[in-house]
Amino acid sequence: VVLLLSLLGLAAAGKLLVVPTDGSHWLSMREVVVILRQRGHEVVVVAPEVSLHIKPSKSFVMKTYPVPYTQEEMDEVFKEFLLTSFEEGSFLERFVKVYENMKRLGNLSASSCGHLLQNKELMSYLEDSKFDALLTDPVVPCGVILAEHLSLPSVYFLRGVPCGLDFEATQCPNPPSYVPRAFSQLTDHMTFLQRVKNLLFDTQNLFLCDFAFDPFSKMASEFLQREVTVQDLLRKGSVWLLRLEFVLDYPRPLM
């Protein structure tokens, strides 16, 4: 019995690879990473050399890789995105500005991911390290691609994924007749005309998804050497940990 208990103690700790998304996404995830380290898990965080908040810590091993942009360039892109997000105005004005800034931010994220996957030295280290699982925020699907390459079970820690891909990947009901869309300022109690308006808001996904996820789908197909989409990879997530606030968000089915 003593031997079995000692083995269980050894099995309790694992080796976790973390591929975070910068900004507030990391600030939320960092608290989880710190607690996991306190509980005896070995944690390795992979991040670009240029970042907003992802910095070295005693709570984890940090592996960085070079990227083709400066700290000043990245700070400016994030600043413009945040300012646009809180601006007032008509839907069309906000949509155009958000579209432009999301495109800039998306290009930055895709560039960073591409340099990670092409970094042979770092990739060799990750392949040889024998991790037990990968923790990531799939709003930037670089960690999702890496989990597939390393054949690791993936844990998603997220607020949501643009274009409703998290709903599609999990087959969670998301009908526009009941679920309010982003920027619509609607609730889950809508009149008929409001439901029509909500459906029109849903069409923006046809434009947003193309530039937001197509670069990652192409990158994943080239890197994994087979045709895949981001949605295909998202479906393979082992655990989805959703950061929801039940006062702010509408009720969702339990999965």
Side-chain angles (χ1 to χ4, degrees):
V1 172
V2 172
L3 178 60
L4 288 174
L5 289 175
S6 64
L7 290 175
L8 286 174
L10 290 174
K15 193 170 185 179
L16 183 68
L17 174 61
V18 180
V19 184
T21 296
D22 207 354
S24 60
H25 301 270
W26 167 242
L27 297 181
S28 299
M29 182 181 285
R30 184 178 61 189
E31 302 302 315
V32 177
V33 169
V34 170
I35 293 174
L36 287 171
R37 181 66 186 90
Q38 291 173 353
R39 294 185 177 182
H41 299 285
E42 183 180 349
V43 180
V44 176
V45 174
V46 174
E49 289 180 348
V50 176
S51 67
L52 288 176
H53 300 300
I54 309 174
K55 306 301 179 184
S57 169
K58 296 179 181 179
S59 299
F60 51 79
V61 175
M62 187 166 175
K63 297 291 182 179
T64 61
Y65 55 92
V67 286
Y69 50 83
T70 65
Q71 185 73 49
E72 291 73 20
E73 290 171 334
M74 190 191 67
D75 290 345
E76 182 63 25
V77 170
F78 269 92
K79 181 180 178 181
E80 287 294 325
F81 176 75
L82 291 173
L83 289 175
T84 301
S85 300
F86 290 102
E87 281 185 0
E88 297 183 356
S90 69
F91 168 74
L92 185 58
E93 291 173 337
R94 287 185 296 155
F95 178 81
V96 171
K97 290 182 180 180
V98 169
Y99 178 92
E100 292 173 348
N101 282 287
M102 282 187 68
K103 192 168 185 178
R104 292 178 64 194
L105 195 59
N107 291 338
L108 209 67
S109 300
S111 174
S112 173
C113 184
H115 280 75
L116 166 59
L117 299 178
Q118 294 167 12
N119 191 309
K120 294 183 179 180
E121 182 179 351
L122 180 55
M123 291 301 299
S124 178
Y125 164 81
L126 297 178
E127 291 165 354
D128 295 338
S129 294
K130 307 300 179 184
F131 292 99
D132 296 302
L134 184 146
L135 175 66
T136 189
D137 186 330
V139 68
V140 175
C142 196
V144 178
I145 300 172
L146 198 55
E148 179 69 9
H149 172 67
L150 299 175
S151 299
L152 292 176
S154 50
V155 179
Y156 301 155
F157 187 76
L158 70 157
R159 181 70 180 83
V161 180
C163 311
L165 286 191
D166 47 341
F167 289 92
E168 294 182 26
T170 56
Q171 297 184 5
C172 182
N174 190 33
S177 54
Y178 289 95
V179 181
R181 294 316 194 235
F183 303 113
S184 68
Q185 298 181 334
L186 297 170
T187 70
D188 58 335
H189 296 282
M190 293 177 275
T191 64
F192 174 75
L193 291 179
Q194 287 175 328
R195 294 184 188 206
V196 173
K197 175 185 175 181
N198 197 48
L199 180 62
L200 295 176
F201 270 77
D202 201 39
T203 59
Q204 64 180 302
N205 290 342
L206 299 175
F207 304 97
L208 290 175
C209 289
D210 287 342
F211 81 85
F213 290 113
D214 275 4
F216 288 98
S217 293
K218 293 176 182 177
M219 191 185 307
S221 298
E222 293 175 3
F223 182 69
L224 300 172
Q225 298 184 343
R226 67 178 189 278
E227 196 68 27
V228 294
T229 65
V230 169
Q231 188 175 331
D232 294 332
L233 297 176
L234 281 175
R235 289 195 183 104
K236 298 188 177 184
S238 301
V239 179
W240 293 67
L241 300 176
L242 302 173
R243 302 196 305 275
L244 298 181
E245 169 54 57
F246 290 107
V247 175
L248 175 66
D249 297 290
Y250 56 89
R252 298 187 188 180
L254 294 177
M255 295 177 288

